[in-house]
Amino acid sequence: MDLRALRYFVAVAEERHVGRAASRLHMTQPPLSRAIRRLEVELGTALFERTPKGVTLTPAGAVMYDEARALLRRADRIRDRVTAAAGAVTLTIGTLADAAEQVGGRLVPLFRARHPHVNVTIHEADLGDPTAGLRAGLVDVALTRTPFDDTGISTRVLRSIAVGVVMRDDDRLAGRASVSSADLAGRSWVRLPDGTDPIWTAYWAGGTHDDPSPVLRTIQECLRAVLWNGTSALAPLDQPLPAGLIAIPFADRPPSDLVAAWPKTGRSALVRSFVDVAENAWSP
């Protein structure tokens, strides 16, 4: 019996439904059902009564629920005490500048509630580094957007976000429900730094590599270029925009994923915990 199986069991017990528990755990229903059945086989007793509407705890399951919750709380306390005994531990989180507020204002407080003895630092990267410091070894985990070259990097999708063309609200296309590349022919686009990941550049830069526009490194620089110079730029449709700008859905791009990313060579317990916090923060 392992802690993961206990966490699965507690989720099903609290949701009273395997499908809802699977959604909460960010997994599909079949492996969750198999894990619960393996636990029941290991214990030699049924933990749930299955009904068309969901599940209910058996008397043995009710005892198991109380014991599992107590054991998981104990496990969490052990982790925190070991972390504290190890001295100052730091988790460095990489983020693109436009997502820094989400990390600092939303995720870090949730993470520190779990790990009050861990020092958290944030590394803000510009648009020239879609891995937000991960590829350079500057951070332990990153919150960023796809697509980018993920060789050697593992990712967990937190949410998918449609992409739009940012333009002035007095632009001749501003009233459109969506626009395509053909509608934008001949426009000047923002240009990312030379040497930027070509997968990232091909997605986010609408112009050609030899576009004479100045190189821009932050989302705020891009937005100012659109507002002041009529330059075109792409951004997630949930990107906050200053007065005078709007974003029109771009038909020629699939949605971009907001992801947590970490090195494939290893994922520490703190990184696993941060990814879990991020998933829960964006769960429905």
Side-chain angles (χ1 to χ4, degrees):
M1 186 186 308
D2 60 28
L3 293 180
R4 177 175 295 184
L6 294 183
R7 294 189 193 280
Y8 288 174
F9 165 77
V10 167
V12 174
E14 292 178 347
E15 296 294 337
R16 307 283 176 167
H17 192 279
V18 177
R20 289 196 297 270
S23 178
R24 167 175 157 180
L25 293 165
H26 302 279
M27 61 189 299
T28 58
Q29 185 170 334
L32 178 57
S33 296
R34 289 194 294 269
I36 296 300
R37 292 192 183 280
R38 284 196 298 269
L39 185 59
E40 290 178 318
V41 169
E42 183 178 351
L43 293 171
T45 186
L47 300 174
F48 295 103
E49 294 285 352
R50 277 76 172 175
T51 72
K53 294 184 178 180
V55 297
T56 58
L57 288 167
T58 63
V63 173
M64 181 66 176
Y65 176 66
D66 291 338
E67 294 294 334
R69 289 189 64 198
L71 184 57
L72 290 173
R73 285 196 297 267
R74 174 65 175 163
D76 289 339
R77 286 197 297 271
I78 291 172
R79 179 186 57 200
D80 289 341
R81 291 184 65 186
V82 170
T83 299
V89 177
T90 298
L91 181 75
T92 302
I93 304 167
T95 178
L96 299 179
D98 67 313
E101 186 174 344
Q102 292 179 331
V103 173
R106 185 176 189 180
L107 298 185
V108 170
L110 293 172
F111 178 81
R112 296 208 69 246
R114 287 190 179 190
H115 307 280
H117 302 292
V118 175
N119 295 323
V120 178
T121 62
I122 296 176
H123 169 80
E124 290 188 26
D126 63 29
L127 296 175
D129 180 14
T131 70
L134 197 61
R135 179 95 50 210
L138 300 176
V139 304
D140 302 302
V141 63
L143 188 76
T144 185
R145 304 183 189 279
T146 63
F148 57 86
D149 178 8
D150 62 359
T151 303
I153 295 174
S154 296
T155 60
R156 186 71 56 81
V157 176
L158 305 177
R159 63 181 298 197
S160 293
I161 307 167
V163 172
V165 179
V166 181
M167 60 184 69
R168 292 169 56 99
D169 58 13
D170 58 358
D171 190 285
R172 64 180 179 81
L173 299 176
R176 296 280 193 91
S178 66
V179 293
S180 67
S181 294
D183 298 322
L184 302 165
R187 295 202 174 205
S188 176
W189 288 83
V190 299
R191 187 159 66 92
L192 299 180
D194 293 339
T196 299
D197 180 343
I199 298 175
W200 173 264
T201 300
Y203 182 93
W204 289 106
T208 61
H209 182 72
D210 58 357
D211 192 309
S213 301
V215 170
L216 302 176
R217 292 185 172 275
T218 71
I219 187 64
Q220 294 306 319
E221 287 178 348
C222 293
L223 296 180
R224 285 194 291 270
V226 177
L227 187 61
W228 297 342
N229 305 321
T231 308
S232 295
L234 299 181
L237 287 179
D238 65 350
Q239 172 69 45
L241 299 175
L245 294 183
I246 59 172
I248 306 297
F250 190 36
D252 293 2
R253 291 287 188 278
S256 170
D257 293 328
L258 180 69
V259 298
W262 63 92
K264 281 186 177 178
T265 53
R267 184 169 57 150
S268 70
L270 289 179
V271 169
R272 287 197 298 271
S273 183
F274 176 81
V275 173
D276 181 59
V277 166
E279 284 187 309
N280 290 336
W282 270 283
S283 62

